[in-house]
Amino acid sequence: GQDAVVVRGAHDRLCPARWARDAASLLPRGRLVTIAGAGHAAHFSHPGEVAALVRELRGTPVAAG
């Protein structure tokens, strides 16, 4: 699995796509995910999608219940 994920909204005007790609490429076992329809604060506008990405990270504890 991956150890890190860089999340960017497709309509993010503060974080350019190139910067996000470069950041993800510097991380061992990292990847970039661009969330369609999201702006800069994808974790606020698309919390379920961001939470699912975090749950996929290696070593993330799974909540019970």
Side-chain angles (χ1 to χ4, degrees), residues 17-48:
R18 181 178 179 170
W19 183 92
R21 278 193 306 272
D22 290 348
S25 74
L26 294 171
L27 299 166
R29 292 180 303 279
R31 71 177 175 134
L32 169 63
V33 175
T34 300
I35 297 182
H40 182 66
H43 58 293
F44 286 123
S45 64
H46 294 71

Side-chain angles (χ1 to χ4, degrees), residues 3-63:
D3 289 331
V5 64
V6 175
V7 179
R8 177 184 179 278
H11 304 291
D12 191 336
R13 296 188 308 182
L14 298 175
C15 177
R18 181 178 179 170
W19 183 92
R21 278 193 306 272
D22 290 348
S25 74
L26 294 171
L27 299 166
R29 292 180 303 279
R31 71 177 175 134
L32 169 63
V33 175
T34 300
I35 297 182
H40 182 66
H43 58 293
F44 286 123
S45 64
H46 294 71
E49 291 176 57
V50 174
L53 293 168
V54 171
R55 283 196 285 291
E56 292 175 10
L57 293 174
R58 197 167 65 155
T60 301
V62 176

